[in-house]
Amino acid sequence: MRKLIGKKAQNMFLLTSLLFAGANTFAQTNDTSLPKLIEKNSRHAFLVDGKPFLMLGGQAHNSSAWPALMPGVWKSVEAMHLNTLEVPLYWEQIEPQAGKFDFSLVDTLLTQARQHNVHLVLLWFGTWKNGSNHYMPEWMKRDAEKYPNITGKTGKPIDSPSPHSKATLDADIKAFSAVMHYLKQADTQHTVIMVQVENEPGSWDTVRDYSARAQKLFEADVPPELLKPAILKALNIPENSKGTWAKVFGERADEYFQAWSIARFIEQVAAAGKAEYPLPLYVNVALRDPLTNPPATHYESGGATDNVIPIWKAAAPSIDLLAPDIYLSGSERILKVIDLYTRADNTLFVPEAGLVADNAKYFYEVLAHGGIGFSPFGIDDNGDSSNDDHLAERLAPFADEYTMAAPMMRELAQWAFDDKIKAVVEHEDGAEQSIKLGAWDAVIKFGSGRGGELKPNTDHNGKAMIVSLDKNKFIMTGTNCRVTFRPLGSNTDKAWQYLKVEEGWYENGVFKSLRILNGDETDWGGPAIGDKPRVLQISLVVR
């Protein structure tokens, strides 16, 4: 009984140390610089208070950013140990009457976020929300002639706003500019670190707008911005192409026209907002299948899907990054999406992921690709926070990872920027994988138990992340996996051993050792990590 109590106390001490260290990772500093994105050698970092910052995020449900619902949201924030909350701003609430703005919701969010020592990413639910205009103010919805929706190919109206309406554009510019102007005045301490412009823009049920105004533009020549050789090459179009949309882009002309039209609309909104307050801005993306190149009739047309990223980059330079919302299934598809949105001209950020246990492992892959943040969607269970046990169980896979990551958040952000992080996630076949680490090859086996034959993970949730501190020294974490090493290069096939394996945590940039692992903890095939992530510092030596 004494041993059990001692172990429990030890675990509580470790957890308390982790949370205490994590809680102070972004206390107010004297740095007055704006949050900003930087790039070096095609890697990206997000600077907050002048230092690399990793968003350990979570997104509230669509209709949860109202004062009466926020206590439940904050309960989820605390349960997840996150440092960044993504939360909507509703155009219908901000401008209930034309030209009359109400920023009380902004004030509430700022005040409460500061009380909880959490940063905010604000989501502008303006002209587009998942392809529709449902968050427009009532005075706009009542005037369909002035603020029109798209006309479908058969002439029927589509439940999606037209990107060719100047009245809609002017109204969105005015409202978003007012929001950014107010933020600059009300948030001098940079509680808000980034803003999303619109939400999953695009159109369902039609590839593009077929209204008379849109058709006239479609039959005109392609804008010169898209005829640059580099852009045409990226779109697999001959570099000397010119003429109408149909002539230049063939069977993809409708979709490319829609992407250009929506991106140009959003560019004007974003540019006006940045002129008031130049926070980093992004657009989130409803994805298509990244493996099969389906036609736009199978997904939300006009958004920044992987095949039209070059169009969006040309059309909307004020948008700092295009961010994939990951609701796909299967490791091959998800890993492909992460690859596609990791570009020299695009910072990787996953602002939404399905709140399912399996998705927590992709947090590691985002870091390994140099990403700046990760966020599951709907952390507050759509306003239902009455069952604390259910809440804890639902959020646990992400809470465990954030608890591990919070004390070394700044270090992880810097390591990702410096390309020092490698990761693997378990695929559906459960097969072992390897990580190349210069002088060493790390072999990751997924499962539990001892020796070469591990008990398989039933839900394939194994993962491992390794940080190279120097040639023979590494930080490792993961779940439901075991690691062993093989020397490479001139040391191939030489005998080797663990010089030291320590379990611990980071505090103020320094690794704190809880214990040295040896014997059963490092034999039987190497150090193992169970269903809770642990931080190991591993040193190796060739005999």
Side-chain angles (χ1 to χ4, degrees):
M1 183 67 177
R2 185 175 299 170
K3 274 189 175 183
L4 180 63
I5 294 174
K7 180 67 174 176
K8 183 176 181 181
Q10 185 184 62
N11 288 341
M12 287 301 296
F13 170 77
L14 177 59
L15 178 61
T16 301
S17 299
L18 287 169
L19 294 179
F20 178 78
N24 292 281
T25 54
F26 57 95
Q28 289 300 314
T29 71
N30 293 324
D31 193 302
T32 59
S33 59
L34 277 173
K36 65 179 180 179
L37 296 163
I38 61 172
E39 181 270 336
K40 179 182 70 176
N41 299 326
S42 298
R43 307 286 290 189
H44 302 88
F46 184 33
L47 303 186
V48 175
D49 297 328
K51 300 176 183 178
F53 185 84
L54 174 63
M55 286 184 278
L56 308 175
Q59 186 171 145
H61 243 283
N62 294 161
S63 301
S64 295
W66 297 93
L69 275 293
M70 286 305 297
V73 174
W74 293 119
K75 184 184 290 187
S76 297
V77 167
E78 293 170 355
M80 280 187 69
H81 314 301
L82 54 76
N83 64 21
T84 305
L85 173 66
E86 296 174 33
V87 62
L89 282 185
Y90 312 120
W91 190 357
E92 61 185 348
Q93 190 275 336
I94 292 290
E95 193 180 5
Q97 299 180 53
K100 296 182 179 180
F101 296 102
D102 177 0
F103 297 113
S104 59
L105 177 58
V106 178
D107 291 335
T108 296
L109 295 173
L110 290 175
T111 298
Q112 294 183 1
R114 291 164 187 164
Q115 291 170 347
H116 288 85
N117 198 27
V118 168
H119 281 300
L120 294 174
V121 172
L122 297 181
L123 317 177
W124 176 239
F125 284 11
T127 297
W128 280 275
K129 167 62 173 76
N130 293 36
S132 298
N133 65 354
H134 298 169
Y135 285 85
M136 281 184 180
E138 290 184 22
W139 52 271
M140 294 181 71
K141 293 177 181 177
R142 294 180 187 277
D143 195 347
E145 184 175 349
K146 185 175 182 179
Y147 308 105
N149 277 359
I150 279 176
T151 299
K153 195 170 187 178
T154 63
K156 294 182 179 180
I158 301 295
D159 185 22
S160 186
S162 172
H164 307 293
S165 167
K166 187 177 186 305
T168 303
L169 173 62
D170 290 344
D172 202 337
I173 287 174
K174 184 177 180 180
F176 187 67
S177 298
V179 168
M180 298 300 284
H181 179 82
Y182 186 80
L183 272 181
K184 183 178 181 179
Q185 296 177 322
D187 189 29
T188 57
Q189 61 202 80
H190 308 145
T191 303
V192 177
I193 55 177
M194 192 177 285
V195 177
Q196 175 185 293
V197 189
E198 316 301 339
N199 184 274
E200 292 188 358
S203 60
W204 297 98
D205 301 322
T206 185
V207 177
R208 67 171 175 90
D209 187 0
Y210 291 87
S211 66
R213 179 180 298 177
Q215 192 62 27
K216 183 177 180 180
L217 293 170
F218 180 76
E219 292 171 357
D221 287 348
V222 173
E225 294 94 329
L226 288 186
L227 297 179
K228 295 178 180 179
I231 295 174
L232 292 174
K233 183 178 179 181
L235 297 171
N236 297 312
I237 301 296
E239 293 182 13
N240 60 349
S241 297
K242 58 184 178 180
T244 66
W245 288 86
K247 182 179 179 181
V248 174
F249 296 121
E251 65 180 10
R252 291 283 179 175
D254 289 340
E255 179 186 5
Y256 289 4
F257 173 75
Q258 179 76 338
W260 169 264
S261 302
I262 293 175
R264 287 303 295 170
F265 182 110
I266 292 176
E267 161 62 18
Q268 294 173 78
V269 175
K274 267 192 171 177
E276 295 290 345
Y277 187 33
L279 282 178
L281 305 178
Y282 74 96
V283 168
N284 64 330
V285 186
L287 300 175
R288 68 179 197 148
D289 187 327
L291 303 177
T292 60
N293 192 30
T297 51
H298 287 61
Y299 53 89
E300 189 177 11
S301 178
T305 48
D306 63 89
N307 59 321
V308 296
I309 290 175
I311 294 175
W312 269 81
K313 289 294 180 181
S318 297
I319 296 297
D320 295 282
L321 62 101
L322 305 172
D325 290 348
I326 296 181
Y327 295 98
L328 301 173
S329 60
S331 58
E332 184 181 9
R333 282 183 171 81
I334 294 175
L335 293 175
K336 182 65 173 177
V337 166
I338 291 172
D339 282 340
L340 288 168
Y341 285 85
T342 303
R343 298 164 48 111
D345 64 353
N346 195 68
T347 307
L348 178 63
F349 172 43
V350 177
E352 293 185 37
L355 191 62
V356 294
D358 189 54
N359 278 345
K361 66 187 180 185
Y362 297 108
F363 170 57
Y364 286 22
E365 283 287 350
V366 168
L367 275 173
H369 281 72
I372 62 169
F374 189 88
S375 176
F377 170 78
I379 62 172
D380 58 303
D381 204 13
N382 206 10
D384 182 9
S385 58
S386 58
N387 189 329
D388 288 347
D389 291 337
H390 172 65
L391 177 72
E393 180 182 357
R394 198 168 53 85
L395 300 178
F398 299 92
D400 290 342
E401 299 303 333
Y402 288 179
T403 300
M404 172 277 298
M408 54 181 179
M409 177 272 288
R410 297 285 190 187
E411 287 70 36
L412 286 169
Q414 185 68 56
W415 291 331
F417 186 45
D418 293 337
D419 199 13
K420 292 184 176 181
I421 300 178
K422 306 294 181 185
V424 291
V425 298
E426 184 177 4
H427 294 190
E428 286 74 15
D429 61 5
E432 72 176 46
Q433 298 181 50
S434 63
I435 299 175
K436 301 297 182 184
L437 299 167
W440 298 89
D441 192 8
V443 180
I444 312 297
K445 294 186 176 182
F446 300 106
S448 58
R450 295 181 172 186
E453 295 299 324
L454 302 179
K455 181 181 178 182
N457 297 321
T458 57
D459 51 6
H460 305 298
N461 64 349
K463 56 187 179 295
M465 178 170 62
I466 299 180
V467 182
S468 296
L469 298 181
D470 65 30
K471 184 173 70 171
N472 300 313
K473 189 174 183 180
F474 310 94
I475 291 292
M476 177 189 173
T477 189
T479 58
N480 295 318
C481 68
R482 183 179 292 275
V483 61
T484 191
F485 293 84
R486 292 192 296 244
L488 300 175
S490 60
N491 291 324
T492 299
D493 296 330
K494 287 186 178 180
W496 68 278
Q497 70 181 84
Y498 295 103
L499 189 63
K500 185 186 290 186
V501 179
E502 300 172 273
E503 180 183 351
W505 70 96
Y506 266 77
E507 184 177 325
N508 297 322
V510 178
F511 181 80
K512 301 289 186 179
S513 181
L514 175 67
R515 58 173 177 166
I516 296 176
L517 301 179
N518 222 321
D520 287 344
E521 285 73 45
T522 56
D523 296 337
W524 303 96
I529 303 179
D531 59 2
K532 301 288 185 182
R534 296 185 296 156
V535 179
L536 306 180
Q537 183 170 266
I538 300 173
S539 299
L540 309 173
V541 64
V542 175
R543 298 282 291 174

